Amino acid sequence: MQGAEADPAIAPVTRQVRGHAAPATVPSGPERGQPLAAAVAELPVLDASGRQVPFGALFRERRAVVVFVRHFLCYICKEYVEDLAKIPKSFLQEADVTLIVIGQSSYHHIEPFCKLTGYSHEIYVDPEREIYKKLGMKRGEEIASSGNNIHFIHRDKNRLDHKPINSVLQLVGVPHVDFTSRSSVIHV
């Protein structure tokens, strides 16, 4: 396993969400504390009932972590959202942070995806990929924001490059979450 740890290209898929994450740093430069462009803030996302909500309204009045996933059929994204589902709501409430997932699918897929992953926090879709396009995303992305300002952005370089969840949570003051407890199959 030592070779897998040294070479991120062959590291285990969920390595980024297990164990203790390295301390995250808030980027300096143009992404730090920058307001979300009005053209992006007004683009609609859809909730599970198909109701349109302006993207910027999701976090304009609150602190949030917004996670864009490639799509609901992506196994890596599914695993990542399964781990996001394990974040205790009490941790988020104590830190006054909202967790939001945005996918690129039809709103009809939200409910089945939530059932599949156990995810019960906020979730929306950008079915036309307009926000993805405006933000220049090719894959997924994690964003930490406060009000209308973006304080952290991580753009995935490949499908295995999701930012470690605990690194993102650390940025917004949420306590460390242990993702190592996985149920094991005894008999098939």
Side-chain angles (χ1 to χ4, degrees):
M1 184 58 98
Q2 194 150 342
E5 291 300 318
D7 183 358
I10 59 172
V13 170
T14 57
R15 181 178 143 250
Q16 75 277 2
V17 293
R18 291 191 174 177
H20 294 283
T25 57
V26 176
S28 59
E31 292 173 341
R32 183 177 185 175
Q34 293 297 308
L36 181 65
V40 176
E42 295 308 315
L43 290 172
V45 292
L46 305 177
D47 67 12
S49 64
R51 183 178 61 97
Q52 286 191 359
V53 178
F55 172 58
L58 299 178
F59 50 86
R60 188 171 291 130
E61 302 294 324
R62 57 189 178 169
R63 293 175 358 127
V65 171
V66 181
V67 177
F68 288 86
V69 295
R70 288 180 346 107
H71 55 79
F72 292 160
L73 297 176
C74 169
Y75 182 77
I76 308 304
C77 294
K78 178 188 152 291
E79 273 194 345
Y80 196 77
V81 174
E82 284 173 340
D83 281 345
L84 290 172
K86 295 175 185 173
I87 300 170
K89 287 187 178 193
S90 62
F91 283 20
L92 296 168
Q93 290 168 344
E94 288 171 20
D96 193 27
V97 172
T98 302
L99 180 60
I100 302 168
V101 167
I102 298 180
Q104 332 175 35
S105 184
S106 165
Y107 72 90
H108 295 100
H109 297 136
I110 291 175
E111 190 175 325
F113 184 71
C114 288
K115 285 181 181 174
L116 178 68
T117 60
Y119 184 81
S120 62
H121 305 285
E122 289 186 42
I123 186 166
Y124 301 88
V125 292
D126 176 14
E128 303 300 320
R129 298 191 69 245
E130 291 302 316
I131 297 167
Y132 285 75
K133 292 173 194 171
K134 289 276 189 191
L135 293 178
M137 284 186 272
K138 303 259 188 264
R139 293 163 187 89
E141 177 165 336
E142 293 82 31
I143 298 175
S145 69
S146 177
N148 199 39
N149 288 332
I150 306 299
H151 294 281
F152 170 81
I153 295 177
H154 170 79
R155 287 191 169 88
D156 296 346
K157 294 178 181 125
N158 60 56
R159 63 186 167 85
L160 301 176
D161 187 40
H162 288 294
K163 185 75 176 163
I165 294 171
N166 277 315
S167 294
V168 177
L169 294 178
Q170 179 185 16
L171 288 170
V172 294
V174 175
H176 177 84
V177 177
D178 181 11
F179 295 104
T180 59
S181 62
R182 300 260 189 213
S183 58
S184 59
V185 176
I186 297 172
H187 292 97
V188 179

